[in-house]
Amino acid sequence: MRPRPHGHRQGHMYPRWEGPGERASHQVRRAARGRNGHHGPYRHRGAFPAPFVIIPLFFIVSGAGANGVLLLGLIPMILMLMVGVSVYRARSLFTAPAPAPMPPRTAPSTPPRPAWDAARARFDALRVDYAAYECDAMEVLRLPALADVSVPSTGRFVEAFAEAQALDTDARPPDAHARKFIAAVDRAERAWQAARDAAERIRHSALSPDERGSVERVLKLLTTARDSDSEAERLTAYAMARSELARLERTGVVRLPRTAVAALDEAARGALPG
């Protein structure tokens, strides 16, 4: 602790004794005030340095009072004033404060466990819907575009479904993997809905009238085989439907998934008397 010098400013409540920490803080404040006690370089930017203004004005006034308007004496003084103003402005530009740093980017949030569990449940439901379609020959015949990957909407769904299938895990994976899986399930759901909507619009529009008639006959035969109480009628209906489907597949009119063919054969065998 040391006493403050007698030349300190009046009116400020300073302690009589100050320690090293107080002296350092006072020195920082004095350095920040800069010239003429101003705080920072932009605190009175309109004021010019006194030497560059007062000295030329003094010589101009004295010269004008003594010998009238002395043009040869005024010109150097005006040039000196202009140089002073330019130096002051240049110094103000170079002492401009640095821009504030950009805030750091926040890391992506960790997906909570319920979000991953919900994504798995949604993907399981999507798998059930897709499998039910592929195993039902009548549904495939009703919406053939949904089984044709050459249709753009169906191709996009198959790719999105395969991506989600590859990212699916039994246990919760690391955060980055979980985020990818949740996003893949979202894309697969949207693609499935878009593919179904497109198949509903297309239906049998790409078939000729004869081909459309053949598909409709197969649908009627399968409906009869499914709903009839007569074993003989069911057997006959399944046999005729399989024969017609084989012909349509050979000509490329329809393409039944293997799961649909297997389910159809299993239903036909179950219709046979034991």
Side-chain angles (χ1 to χ4, degrees):
M1 303 288 287
R2 65 180 179 81
R4 181 177 297 278
H6 295 291
H8 72 274
R9 296 170 60 185
Q10 298 295 329
H12 289 264
M13 299 301 295
Y14 291 121
R16 184 173 179 80
W17 298 89
E18 58 180 7
E22 295 174 346
R23 288 198 301 272
S25 63
H26 296 162
Q27 291 173 0
V28 170
R29 286 196 296 269
R30 285 196 298 271
R33 282 196 297 268
R35 176 177 292 186
N36 297 330
H38 299 318
H39 296 271
Y42 292 106
R43 196 64 187 267
H44 303 296
R45 292 188 60 179
F48 299 136
F52 290 106
V53 178
I54 297 175
I55 294 176
L57 289 177
F58 173 77
F59 283 103
I60 291 172
V61 173
S62 62
N67 300 315
V69 180
L70 301 178
L71 295 179
L72 295 179
L74 290 177
I75 292 175
M77 300 300 103
I78 294 174
L79 292 177
M80 185 176 178
L81 178 61
M82 294 173 63
V83 171
V85 172
S86 300
V87 171
Y88 178 77
R89 290 181 176 176
R91 187 186 63 181
S92 300
L93 291 176
F94 282 107
T95 56
M102 295 293 293
R105 292 184 177 179
T106 58
S109 58
T110 301
R113 179 60 182 260
W116 180 77
D117 291 338
R120 285 212 71 206
R122 289 188 287 116
F123 187 59
D124 289 341
L126 177 59
R127 261 195 295 237
V128 170
D129 291 344
Y130 188 33
Y133 167 80
E134 286 199 318
C135 293
D136 190 346
M138 295 180 65
E139 191 69 9
V140 173
L141 291 174
R142 191 176 71 86
L143 301 175
L146 197 55
D148 188 358
V149 294
S150 64
V151 178
S153 57
T154 302
R156 286 191 293 269
F157 162 69
V158 171
E159 292 179 359
F161 183 85
E163 180 186 4
Q165 182 74 33
L167 293 171
D168 189 20
T169 55
D170 294 332
R172 188 182 190 280
D175 296 340
H177 190 109
R179 282 192 294 270
K180 290 180 180 179
F181 173 70
I182 294 172
V185 171
D186 293 339
R187 288 191 295 269
E189 284 184 323
R190 292 193 298 269
W192 171 251
Q193 188 59 50
R196 284 196 68 93
D197 293 343
E200 290 281 358
R201 291 192 301 270
I202 295 171
R203 285 188 176 264
H204 303 138
S205 60
L207 304 180
S208 66
D210 291 340
E211 293 169 344
R212 251 192 323 271
S214 298
V215 171
E216 290 174 357
R217 282 195 301 272
V218 172
L219 286 172
K220 289 180 181 179
L221 289 170
L222 291 177
T223 302
T224 301
R226 183 188 62 188
D227 299 338
S228 177
D229 295 332
S230 171
E231 292 294 332
E233 186 178 21
R234 291 175 63 179
L235 177 60
T236 302
Y238 271 122
M240 293 178 64
R242 286 296 291 121
S243 176
E244 190 70 17
L245 278 174
R247 186 182 68 82
L248 292 176
E249 286 185 308
R250 283 195 304 269
T251 58
V253 176
V254 296
R255 296 180 179 86
L256 288 180
R258 287 178 294 179
T259 53
V261 174
L264 187 61
D265 292 340
E266 183 66 23
R269 284 192 297 267
L272 294 175

